[in-house]
C-alpha cells in the first residue's frame, strides 16, 4: 500500500472537491461539507497526487492536464468533421458506403494511451475500434474505406501521442 503523503492527500482532495463543485452546482453548506468529506476520504483511500513522486508525480499529472485541452479540441474537430461526412453519406441518393476493417499500427505502448486512442476512434462517427493488441496494433472498422495513409486515424493518433508524450502512461 502506498505511503500516505499529507500534502498529496490535500492536493488530491482539493482537485476532487473543485471537480465536485463544478459537477454538483450546489453551494449550500450541507452539500459543500459532504463534498469536502467525500473528497478527503477518496483522497486518503486512493492517493493520486504526491509531491515526492511515489504514486503520481504532480508535474506529470499537470502536464497531462494541460495537454488534454488541445487533445479535446482536436477530438471535437474530428467528431464534427466525421458527423458532416456521415450526413453527406446518409443524404446521398446512392448511400456510398464501403465498410472495411483495417489494421493500424501505432507506437503508443501504454495501456492508457492505447485505450484513449481506441476510445477516441470509437467516438468518431463512422469508425469503431474492434481490437487493440499490446504491441500497439489496432483493428478499426470504417464505414467508408479510408485513404491509404489513414489520415484521419493518424491525426487522432498524433493528438493522443502529444497528450501522453513524456508521460509514463504511454510507455
Amino acid at each position: 500500500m502506498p505511503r500516505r503523503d499529507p500534502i498529496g492527500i490535500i492536493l488530491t482532495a482539493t482537485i476532487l472537491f473543485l471537480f465536485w463543485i463544478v459537477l454538483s452546482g450546489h453551494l449550500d453548506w450541507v452539500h459543500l461539507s459532504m463534498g469536502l468529506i467525500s473528497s478527503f476520504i477518496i483522497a486518503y483511500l486512493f492517493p493520486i497526487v504526491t509531491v515526492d513522486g511515489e504514486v503520481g508525480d504532480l508535474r506529470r499529472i499537470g502536464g497531462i492536464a494541460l495537454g488534454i485541452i488541445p487533445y479535446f479540441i482536436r477530438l471535437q474537430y474530428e467528431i464534427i468533421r466525421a458527423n458532416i461526412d456521415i450526413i453527406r453519406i446518409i443524404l446521398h441518393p446512392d448511400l456510398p458506403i464501403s465498410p472495411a476493417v483495417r489494421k493500424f499500427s501505432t507506437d503508443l505502448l501504454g495501456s492508457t494511451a492505447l485505450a484513449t486512442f481506441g476510445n477516441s476512434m470509437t467516438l468518431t462517427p463512422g469508425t469503431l475500434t474492434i481490437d487493440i493488441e499490446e504491441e500497439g496494433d489496432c483493428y478499426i472498422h470504417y464505414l467508408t474505406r479510408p485513404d491509404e495513409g489513414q489520415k484521419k486515424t493518424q491525426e487522432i493518433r498524433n493528438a493522443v501521442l502529444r497528450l501522453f508524450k513524456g508521460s509514463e502512461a504511454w510507455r
Side-chain angles (χ1 to χ4, degrees):
M1 186 134 196
R3 188 174 64 86
R4 303 289 192 250
D5 179 22
I7 296 173
I9 291 172
I10 292 170
L11 286 172
T12 303
T14 303
I15 292 168
L16 291 172
F17 183 61
L18 292 174
F19 187 62
W20 183 88
I21 289 173
V22 169
L23 291 181
S24 75
H26 295 288
L27 299 177
D28 58 283
W29 71 272
V30 173
H31 285 95
L32 288 176
S33 60
M34 294 302 288
L36 189 62
I37 291 168
S38 299
S39 297
F40 271 100
I41 290 172
I42 292 171
Y44 180 77
L45 293 176
F46 305 102
I48 299 170
V49 179
T50 62
V51 177
D52 62 359
E54 187 177 299
V55 175
D57 185 13
L58 186 59
R59 291 176 302 253
R60 180 175 61 95
I61 292 171
I64 290 176
L66 289 176
I68 208 160
I69 295 168
Y71 163 74
F72 276 136
I73 291 171
R74 169 53 85 180
L75 182 62
Q76 288 302 314
Y77 172 76
E78 293 298 332
I79 289 172
I80 291 169
R81 191 166 81 169
N83 274 304
I84 292 169
D85 290 342
I86 296 294
I87 290 170
R88 284 187 192 140
I89 290 170
I90 291 171
L91 294 178
H92 194 280
D94 296 331
L95 195 65
I97 63 170
S98 55
V101 174
R102 296 287 269 310
K103 178 181 176 182
F104 182 79
S105 296
T106 177
D107 55 349
L108 301 170
L109 299 177
S111 59
T112 305
L114 285 170
T116 302
F117 172 75
N119 288 332
S120 299
M121 289 304 301
T122 300
L123 282 172
T124 307
T127 59
L128 176 68
T129 304
I130 298 171
D131 189 23
I132 301 175
E133 296 177 347
E134 287 182 28
E135 307 84 44
D137 294 334
C138 302
Y139 294 91
I140 302 170
H141 179 273
Y142 296 91
L143 184 62
T144 59
R145 189 171 304 278
D147 60 349
E148 283 303 312
Q150 293 176 299
K151 185 180 176 195
K152 292 178 186 180
T153 307
Q154 192 68 33
E155 289 172 358
I156 291 177
R157 187 216 53 98
N158 291 341
V160 172
L161 181 65
R162 282 190 296 273
L163 175 63
F164 288 101
K165 193 166 189 160
S167 165
E168 295 295 319
W170 85 285
R171 292 189 187 124

